[in-house]
Amino acid sequence: VQLQASGGGLVQAGGSLRLSCKASGMILSTFWSYDMGWYRQAPGKQRELVASESSGGRTNSADSVKGRFAISRDNAKRTVYLQMNDLKPEDTAVYYCNRGSFGTDVSLLNWGQGTQVTVSS
């Protein structure tokens, strides 16, 4: 299984980006069954879950991004998206997708390379 994130870049504070993450090497029904999440890791900090969407379509997000980030998924394409609006310098990090749900331990898939998001002030 491979998770390939894309869509990052350099943006000014207040700007927007849309990240995509495609899962390959996984049968469709397996992807459908997974809760999926977006994580980020800033320099010198631990990786953290910022948004998740359950297999049933329920979404959740960390307080730090609530109201600004929105996760969605296209199961037929085995792809998860993260729409990021009103970006702030503190959102600067490498962003990854993987299995995930707030408050639940899951068996993670192999991490992909992630996509760098840099927000300038």
Side-chain angles (χ1 to χ4, degrees):
V1 174
Q2 286 190 323
L3 299 170
Q4 183 63 49
S6 62
L10 173 63
V11 63
Q12 288 188 333
S16 298
L17 284 172
R18 188 189 192 214
L19 308 183
S20 300
C21 179
K22 184 172 178 60
S24 58
M26 183 190 305
I27 63 174
L28 201 55
S29 59
T30 298
F31 183 81
W32 283 17
S33 73
Y34 284 164
D35 297 343
M36 293 297 295
W38 278 97
Y39 299 75
R40 68 185 181 188
Q41 186 167 22
K45 295 188 177 181
Q46 287 190 332
R47 194 172 298 178
E48 62 173 346
L49 179 64
V50 295
S52 68
E53 182 166 348
S54 72
S55 59
R58 179 172 293 183
T59 62
N60 201 355
S61 59
D63 288 344
S64 59
V65 306
K66 203 174 292 288
R68 300 188 297 121
F69 290 11
I71 187 173
S72 60
R73 61 194 291 171
D74 185 333
N75 288 327
K77 296 181 178 179
R78 300 179 185 85
T79 300
V80 185
Y81 303 97
L82 186 68
Q83 178 66 43
M84 306 188 296
N85 298 324
D86 190 23
L87 282 160
K88 302 177 180 181
E90 52 263 41
D91 295 320
T92 295
V94 179
Y95 285 72
Y96 307 83
C97 76
N98 210 311
R99 298 181 65 190
S101 179
F102 288 90
T104 304
D105 289 331
V106 298
S107 178
L108 294 170
L109 305 170
N110 292 330
W111 293 99
Q113 289 188 333
T115 186
Q116 175 72 48
V117 172
T118 303
V119 185
S120 63
S121 57

